[in-house]
Amino acid sequence: MKKYFVFLFCVVSLMANANVRMPLLFADGMVLQRNKPIPVWGWADANEKVEVHFNKQVKTIVADKNGKWMLNLNAEKAGGPFELVISGKNKIIIKDVLVGEVWICSGQSNMEFTVKQAKDFEIEMKDANYPQIRQFLVQKDMSSTPKEDFKSAKWSSSNEQTVGDFTAAGFYFARKLYKELNIPIGLLHTSWGGTCVETWTSKEAFENSSEFKEMIAQVPSLNMDEVLENYRKATLENIKKIQGFDASMDNESQFKNPEFQDANWPEIKAPSLWENQQIGNIDGIVWMRKTIVLTAEQAKKEAVLHLAKVDDEDVTYVNGVQVGTHNLWDKLRVYNIPTGVLKEGTNVIAVRITDYSGGGGIYGEASDLKIDCKDSNVPLDGLWKFNVVKVRIEISPNSYPSLLYNAMVNPLVPYAIQGALWYQGEANVWRAKQYKKAFPLMIQDWRTKFKQGDFPFYFVQLSTFDESGGNSAKGSRWAELREAQTETLKVPNTGMVVTTDIGNAKDIHPTNKQDIGLRFAAIALNNLYGKKQVCSGPMYKSQEIKGNQIILTFDNIGSGLLASGNSELKGFEIAGADKVFHPAKAIIKDNKVIVSSDKVQNPVAVHYGWADDDTEINLFNKEKFPASPFRTDNWEMITENEKYKIN
């Protein structure tokens, strides 16, 4: 027995000192960047000697007084698999390590958008078995101060079972690179839907910016528990103000019943996300009810309920009978109503909606919100009663600057990377002009933190989305944000994917992520990997006014300009000094575009694609890359004075 206690004491002592530890980044299946020094870091006891073995390299370091250590392995060529061995008082063996190209994939929901959500998943998954394409998926987290490691994250290799959870834009980029280069590709995927650029930027960057230093000076030292409690109180008070009573799940079992009295419930429009209405940006559970009147003829027929789309999950009742449920936020709800459920006179549709994150409510097309009674349709768009019964209390990552940089980017630093892919901007359209400073600031911030020079930073320009019918007449925030993105190309070693031809004016999340990835890859292959090719569409360069015409010159015309579909050029507008824009005739001549209108005899400016919804525009080069929207004037825009403020 005494020997047993001695043995146990030794084991416990060893365990107490066996504290060489690695960040979650350093794990089985990881991909390291080729042809660059490879930073390796972790933690140990204070002043503990740490030895790192990789391929034929052996390096040693002594941990500092806080137990932190970091060393640089020499650059390696692409290859593997290898083992990375870290030894101190204990030994860590990281297996199946590859060396290749490493890219950060970041932004909001369109980067978060997975392969299984994108178009043609059943087809694409059959071309997904690429064990050397790997994703490091960072789980969502926020922090008021920079973190040294992630809350949760893991590496996975691409195959039919796993590819559905890869970032779609990133995967299609990686697959193209792999097929061209035949080397391992690692994607560091750190995204969060609905987030603004300011939350992805460090505090130090704001402090050193003339545009933002006053703002950051006003941000208090945050106690996240205290912030959460204040947010909880404010949110619940606001809900009570909106609907006239507290959010409560009491009696919600009665809400599906047709005889329940909802006269005191407020009303909301459908289809439309409640973030765009009085409920605002909340996650939680909301009941919505609609009372309709049917004739005897309508009630006796078989019927189908079309509920448009519901974000995220619905349980739907007709006259107290459950007719369907679904939990995919982007799928149309179509539910059969059993015979005998409908009746002559009043009928009640009740929907229990659970919103987990992002947008919430019944949304989509008004034509998809109806009851189909065979020979007639009963429209359901318009006002619905609502009752917020439960609010999920969480701080938004947009509530304060730097929350996501601290938790979801800082732990990547100083991992060796080739570059970054960025897909974001929707959350910044309300202050599009300031994005001209905020976005370049974030790019420079990341480059400063990683200390790897002006590494490539490629981004996606906003697709079409008819958020508020914006156009040249009343202004377009979406067009202004696209302009801010275009101006960011002035930052060295950047590239932009234009998406005017592959968006969806009715869906902020276009499902064609294949072309996004291929266009990202075209830029990288041309700029980095020696595979020269046209990788961009026409970009406005200059204008010349001749009489009643304006002649436009472009860069990046490839082998020539064309109008897609061999049709007339669309999307051009022209204005005189009165700043009133009119639809214009536009023709291509000598790889320039000549714009004119009978209504403008003395033109001074041209707009192209200046609208939230720019679907119809069709100027391309012959390599089938679309032209970026633009304007030739510098007149004041509608986001001129909008600034980032602390919520």
Side-chain angles (χ1 to χ4, degrees), residues 202-316:
S202 77
K203 179 181 179 181
E204 291 81 7
F206 291 127
E207 289 174 334
N208 294 320
S209 164
S210 59
E211 177 75 15
F212 292 100
K213 63 182 180 181
E214 183 177 338
M215 175 277 294
I216 200 67
Q218 297 173 2
V219 177
S221 298
L222 300 178
N223 178 315
M224 295 301 281
D225 291 336
E226 183 178 326
V227 170
L228 184 62
E229 177 59 20
N230 291 338
Y231 175 71
R232 186 189 70 82
K233 289 180 179 179
T235 301
L236 293 177
E237 288 174 1
N238 188 53
I239 292 299
K240 184 175 182 179
K241 181 179 179 181
I242 290 168
Q243 62 186 24
F245 46 85
D246 289 324
S248 171
M249 300 182 75
D250 293 346
N251 301 319
E252 75 158 337
S253 61
Q254 303 299 314
F255 296 168
K256 66 179 184 291
N257 298 329
E259 62 272 13
F260 177 79
Q261 297 299 309
D262 58 16
N264 68 325
W265 287 18
E267 292 180 322
I268 194 170
K269 291 180 181 179
S272 179
L273 294 174
W274 57 54
E275 276 77 1
N276 299 327
Q277 303 185 71
Q278 66 266 44
I279 294 178
N281 185 22
I282 69 156
D283 302 324
I285 300 172
V286 179
W287 279 84
M288 293 179 64
R289 284 169 53 100
K290 180 82 168 179
T291 300
I292 59 172
V293 177
L294 300 178
T295 66
E297 186 69 17
Q298 289 171 320
K300 72 179 183 181
K301 294 182 177 180
E302 293 182 5
V304 178
L305 172 62
H306 296 259
L307 202 61
K309 300 178 182 180
V310 181
D311 194 345
D312 291 291
E313 180 178 335
D314 71 288
V315 182
T316 299

Side-chain angles (χ1 to χ4, degrees), residues 110 113-127 163-164 166-169 171-172 175 329-331 501-504 507 509-519:
N110 272 308
F113 204 83
T114 60
V115 172
K116 66 186 174 187
Q117 293 174 296
K119 75 170 188 174
D120 298 333
F121 173 51
E122 297 300 323
I123 297 172
E124 296 290 1
M125 68 185 296
K126 296 176 183 177
D127 188 19
V163 74
F166 275 52
T167 162
F171 172 74
Y172 294 124
R175 190 173 69 181
W329 61 271
D330 59 344
K331 297 296 182 183
D501 57 327
I502 53 178
N504 184 339
D507 191 344
H509 302 109
T511 60
N512 181 357
K513 295 297 190 281
Q514 287 88 337
D515 283 326
I516 301 291
L518 290 174
R519 290 175 188 180

Side-chain angles (χ1 to χ4, degrees), residues 325-350:
T325 182
H326 214 304
N327 62 5
L328 292 180
W329 61 271
D330 59 344
K331 297 296 182 183
L332 289 170
R333 269 58 167 177
V334 181
Y335 300 138
N336 291 319
I337 302 175
T339 303
V341 171
L342 296 176
K343 61 182 182 179
E344 180 182 4
T346 60
N347 294 260
V348 175
I349 302 159

Side-chain angles (χ1 to χ4, degrees), residues 422-615:
W422 179 256
Y423 200 161
Q424 186 272 343
E426 297 90 341
N428 278 87
V429 294
W430 285 85
R431 48 183 185 278
K433 182 178 180 182
Q434 196 179 39
Y435 198 76
K436 294 179 180 181
K437 295 183 179 179
F439 186 29
L441 179 67
M442 191 209 78
I443 295 171
Q444 186 56 52
D445 181 33
W446 286 21
R447 288 173 170 174
T448 299
K449 295 292 187 180
F450 277 89
K451 296 180 180 178
Q452 294 174 47
D454 289 344
F455 58 75
F457 198 104
Y458 305 148
F459 52 91
V460 181
Q461 189 183 56
L462 287 189
S463 298
T464 185
F465 181 61
D466 193 14
E467 182 177 55
S468 57
N471 55 34
S472 289
K474 66 178 186 179
S476 168
R477 295 179 179 87
W478 284 70
E480 291 183 35
L481 198 286
R482 294 185 195 109
E483 179 181 75
Q485 292 172 315
T486 302
E487 290 195 12
T488 301
L489 290 172
K490 297 174 183 176
V491 177
N493 209 6
T494 54
M496 183 174 73
V497 172
V498 178
T499 62
T500 57
D501 57 327
I502 53 178
N504 184 339
K506 298 171 183 176
D507 191 344
I508 201 169
H509 302 109
T511 60
N512 181 357
K513 295 297 190 281
Q514 287 88 337
D515 283 326
I516 301 291
L518 290 174
R519 290 175 188 180
F520 266 141
I523 299 172
L525 289 167
N526 180 73
N527 292 0
L528 288 175
Y529 299 120
K531 296 182 180 289
K532 294 302 179 183
Q533 57 193 276
V534 175
C535 61
S536 170
M539 300 289 293
Y540 167 72
K541 181 180 181 182
S542 62
Q543 73 170 18
E544 179 185 2
I545 301 172
K546 282 192 174 182
N548 67 343
Q549 298 178 333
I550 294 183
I551 302 171
L552 303 171
T553 304
F554 295 85
D555 288 324
N556 302 329
I557 63 172
S559 54
L561 300 178
L562 61 79
S564 65
N566 295 316
S567 60
E568 294 182 356
L569 283 176
K570 300 176 182 177
F572 285 90
E573 300 171 291
I574 196 166
D578 61 0
K579 303 182 182 181
V580 177
F581 282 87
H582 299 271
K585 178 183 178 181
I587 61 172
I588 298 171
K589 184 177 181 181
D590 298 329
N591 282 323
K592 297 181 179 181
V593 175
I594 302 173
V595 184
S596 63
S597 170
D598 293 340
K599 296 183 179 180
V600 182
Q601 295 305 310
N602 297 295
V604 297
V606 169
H607 280 182
Y608 174 68
W610 201 264
D612 294 5
D613 175 8
D614 59 5
T615 304

Side-chain angles (χ1 to χ4, degrees), residues 408-422:
M408 298 179 67
V409 177
N410 195 69
L412 292 174
V413 178
Y415 202 74
I417 60 172
Q418 179 59 264
L421 307 180
W422 179 256

Side-chain angles (χ1 to χ4, degrees), residues 124-170:
E124 296 290 1
M125 68 185 296
K126 296 176 183 177
D127 188 19
N129 291 314
Y130 296 94
Q132 292 196 328
I133 296 178
R134 300 179 178 183
Q135 174 180 256
F136 181 74
L137 180 58
V138 175
Q139 296 302 310
K140 295 175 181 176
D141 191 18
M142 293 180 283
S143 177
S144 57
T145 56
K147 297 182 70 171
E148 294 184 328
D149 204 358
F150 298 109
K151 177 175 71 174
S152 177
K154 67 176 183 179
W155 285 96
S156 57
S157 299
S158 173
N159 56 51
E160 288 189 22
Q161 289 70 45
T162 62
V163 74
D165 293 326
F166 275 52
T167 162

